[in-house]
Amino acid sequence: KKVATDAKCFMQASFASDKILADLVGQYLPQEKGALADLFCGRGTFSLPLSKRFNVDGFESDSGAIEALKDASNGAVTLYKRDLFKNPLSKTELLPYRFVVINPPRAGALEQIKTLARSKCEKIIYISCNPESFARDATILEKGGYKLQEATPIDQFYWSSHLEVVGVFNYLDLP
């Protein structure tokens, strides 16, 4: 089923870049099952394809995005309306998740990153449209025990110097 859109909703810059991002995130995650949190899930760019492999909980503050994703996912994604800037998931709330996908707005997700850095999620996939906020947040994750395994720049913003960055972080103290 297609996801409903409107003139005010956020979407990736092109269908091609949307597919590249979703495929890349899927490749960074293992094939085995596990609980996954999609933070700033929007209309399901990552939640929908990942729900075929994982138990996905999506967190988003935009009511329109939540309704569109709820309708399109047919229950495959459990959705929570939450402003992650004002009320980030705590270390305790992150305990059930092996994996986290986070795709915040341009400013990054400073408070949420601080709690992620204290979590012990096995793998964090961070998608950012701002290399500066990505670098700031990556430093916080690394100080918390995560290692940046790979970062991929994606030039999806035609006629612009802006880049999308996808980074994969692994927690180092896992047995």
Side-chain angles (χ1 to χ4, degrees):
K1 189 171 186 179
K2 293 185 178 183
V3 179
T5 61
D6 58 47
K8 297 178 185 176
C9 74
F10 172 81
M11 301 200 37
Q12 296 300 335
S14 72
F15 290 117
S17 62
D18 187 64
K19 180 169 177 12
I20 290 167
L21 289 168
D23 289 349
L24 191 57
V25 168
Q27 290 169 18
Y28 279 147
L29 291 163
Q31 291 302 314
E32 67 263 16
K33 296 285 184 184
L36 182 142
D38 186 356
L39 309 180
F40 302 93
C41 68
R43 292 174 184 255
T45 297
F46 307 111
S47 295
L48 285 173
L50 292 174
S51 69
K52 295 174 181 141
R53 292 173 37 204
F54 301 96
N55 298 323
V56 177
D57 289 348
F59 297 85
E60 174 60 51
S61 64
D62 183 78
S63 297
I66 290 171
E67 285 305 312
L69 181 51
K70 180 180 178 184
D71 185 46
S73 75
N74 292 317
V77 178
T78 303
L79 294 163
Y80 300 93
K81 183 172 175 34
R82 185 147 176 181
D83 183 337
L84 297 170
F85 293 112
K86 294 178 182 173
N87 187 19
L89 269 66
S90 69
K91 180 180 174 184
T92 303
E93 289 173 304
L94 289 164
L95 283 174
Y97 302 108
R98 283 184 67 193
F99 314 111
V100 171
V101 172
I102 182 167
N103 184 19
R106 192 159 183 72
L110 184 59
E111 295 307 314
Q112 185 61 76
I113 289 297
K114 287 177 183 177
T115 61
L116 277 169
R118 293 189 304 269
S119 77
K120 292 190 179 3
C121 297
E122 187 175 318
K123 190 176 292 271
I124 297 170
I125 311 296
Y126 190 129
I127 303 96
S128 174
C129 62
N130 183 350
E132 290 177 12
S133 60
F134 177 86
R136 177 202 65 206
D137 293 351
T139 299
I140 294 167
L141 289 172
E142 288 188 332
K143 287 179 181 176
Y146 286 88
K147 179 172 178 161
L148 177 62
Q149 297 296 311
E150 187 174 331
T152 304
I154 298 167
D155 185 9
Q156 74 163 335
F157 302 104
Y158 302 134
W159 307 290
S160 168
S161 61
H162 294 292
L163 283 176
E164 192 88 5
V165 178
V166 181
V168 58
F169 296 83
N170 291 331
Y171 189 67
L172 295 178
D173 289 341
L174 290 173

